[in-house]
Each structure stands twice: as structure tokens, then as C-alpha cells.
Amino acid sequence: MTTITDRLAIAQHRITQAAQNASRRPEDVQLLAVSKTKPNEYIIEAYQAGQRRFGENYVQEGETKINSLSQAFPDIEWHFIGPLQSNKTKVVASLFDWMHTVDREKIAQRLNDQRPDDMPALNICIQVNISLEESKSGALAADVLGLADKIALLPNIKLRGLMAIPSADVDEQTASAELAALQALFNQLAERHSCVDTLSVGMSNDLELAVNHGSTMVRIGSAIFGERDYSKT
């Protein structure tokens, strides 16, 4: 039976191989371990295996984990990667290092206003609905550059790039077209704002394709921690 340490190594090997196949440096693609619904001991095991970046989807769960683990493991980098209601922005602003799912100015403004003065700027990715699915959150591609310009003016948050969840269960040609469009938008954004360096896209089932289209951060959960038990969220 494989352990979390084993599965982390397998995931990292996949990233390395994907980067090499795309003529990229493996160190330019970061692994974000998605620990939502998983207990603290799983995070600790991954930490002991060298993992430092962890992603959480739910505000209350993330708050509980950060409060219980931050003293013992102060170098964990916490990423919020789920949808966020405006009435819960204070927790994310106060505790997390990264926020991947900003899709409107109101959320960005609240995160900026609620970020404590003694903390570094909160790293921000704009979520793009690149697949145009009504069920998905995210800004439309046509609105991203304007939203980015507004975010860049806010002093307590730092624009870092884009995040997206491409269509699931589509053929490779369709998936590649979505990722190519996302990469082109990312390149536009990076030309416009020098602080932009992060393209957060790719999960367990499509990380190779995502890395081939410029992903700098892949989000992997079940392939590291096992299937999720949503009854505990």
C-alpha cells in the first residue's frame, strides 16, 4: 500500500517529466497539495516528506487547520482555492498566504481592506471561467485585464496571476484549446503587470497537458491524499 510520501514522490515525478517533455525547467512548476477534507495528520505526513504548499477549499475548515498547525509548522504556505462569499473574506484575508479565486472587484477590495497591517500582501490569482460553463465561478476572459488593473492598485494584496478549472471529460483537442486560450491571456497579463508569474491550472487528471500549456502551479489532491470524504466537511 502506498503512503502519502510515496504518492507525493509520484506526483513530483509526473511534474518533472511533464516539464521536461515541454522543454521547461521542473523547478518552474510548483506542486500545491490540496488537503481539503483531510485530517491534520495527513498534512503533517506530507510536510515531513518536504511538502510546504497546501490548498484548502472551505473557509471554516481552513481556519481550523491553520490555527491548529501554524505554531508548529510556521513555514506552511496556505492557499485558499475554493469559492468565497463576501461575508467570509476576513478569515481568508487574516490567515491565508494566497487566494486563487478572486473573480470580481468587490472580493478583491474586501480582501485588501481586511488584510492585517502586520502581514505581507496577500497573493492573488484571478479565477477565469475559461470554459464558459454556467456552473463555474470565474471572471470572463474579456474582463480579466480590467479587473487586474484595479487589483494592482490595492496595496494590501499582490496580483500574481490566473487560476482556472478547464472543462472535465472533454477530448484532448478541446482541453488544449481552453488551456491555450488561458496561456495567451496569462501572457497578456504578464506583459501588462511585471508582478504576474503564476498560472494555477492542472490537477491529477490533466497536469501534463497543463504543464505543456505553461502552468506554474498544479493542484493535486486525491492522487496524494486519497479520495475525499465530503461527509466530514
Side-chain angles (χ1 to χ4, degrees):
M1 184 176 178
T2 58
T3 64
I4 289 172
T5 300
D6 295 332
R7 294 193 290 270
L8 264 173
I10 292 168
Q12 193 59 63
H13 177 74
R14 287 180 64 191
I15 292 169
T16 298
Q17 193 66 54
Q20 290 173 345
N21 290 344
S23 299
R24 298 178 60 197
R25 300 189 308 167
E27 59 266 31
D28 290 340
V29 185
Q30 299 173 348
L31 170 59
L32 178 60
V34 179
S35 46
K36 65 177 181 180
T37 80
K38 296 303 179 183
N40 287 353
E41 53 263 33
Y42 284 26
I43 296 174
I44 293 170
E45 182 177 341
Y47 179 94
Q48 291 170 340
Q51 181 65 25
R52 293 295 182 270
R53 299 179 181 91
F54 294 89
E56 292 289 329
N57 282 57
Y58 308 111
V59 172
Q60 186 173 356
E61 181 187 356
E63 180 181 21
T64 300
K65 287 177 177 177
I66 293 171
N67 285 336
S68 61
L69 293 172
S70 60
Q71 186 169 353
F73 308 101
D75 57 337
I76 288 181
E77 188 176 274
W78 294 99
H79 294 240
F80 190 80
I81 60 174
L84 182 64
Q85 297 173 326
S86 59
N87 63 348
K88 295 184 177 180
T89 51
K90 188 173 183 179
V91 174
V92 174
S94 300
L95 293 177
F96 282 82
D97 302 295
W98 282 73
M99 165 58 172
H100 287 233
T101 54
V102 171
D103 60 1
R104 57 195 186 278
E105 185 181 1
K106 177 182 178 181
I107 294 293
Q109 186 68 59
R110 288 178 66 87
L111 291 168
N112 175 78
D113 295 346
Q114 294 170 335
R115 185 69 168 176
D117 292 336
D118 61 348
M119 294 183 72
L122 178 66
N123 297 293
I124 295 291
C125 288
I126 296 173
Q127 182 174 359
V128 188
N129 186 350
I130 203 68
S131 60
L132 301 177
E133 295 174 84
E134 291 184 4
S135 61
K136 283 184 180 174
S137 301
L140 297 177
D143 298 331
V144 165
L145 296 180
L147 177 58
D149 289 346
K150 293 173 181 176
I151 288 173
L153 297 174
L154 300 173
N156 297 323
I157 61 179
K158 182 178 181 180
L159 178 67
R160 295 297 296 270
L162 302 178
M163 176 270 208
I165 305 171
S167 299
D169 302 321
V170 295
D171 60 80
E172 185 170 327
Q173 183 177 1
T174 301
S176 292
E178 290 181 5
L179 289 169
L182 180 67
Q183 185 178 17
L185 182 60
F186 172 75
N187 290 339
Q188 277 187 278
L189 187 64
E191 288 179 4
R192 197 171 175 126
H193 296 282
S194 60
C195 54
V196 167
D197 59 5
T198 301
L199 182 57
S200 170
V201 65
M203 295 181 281
S204 300
N205 62 335
D206 65 349
L207 78 83
E208 286 82 5
L209 196 61
V211 170
N212 192 48
H213 286 85
S215 173
T216 68
M217 187 178 292
V218 295
R219 309 182 302 270
I220 301 181
S222 56
I224 295 171
F225 296 112
E227 294 301 319
R228 300 184 182 103
D229 181 1
Y230 288 97
S231 68
K232 296 180 180 179
T233 62

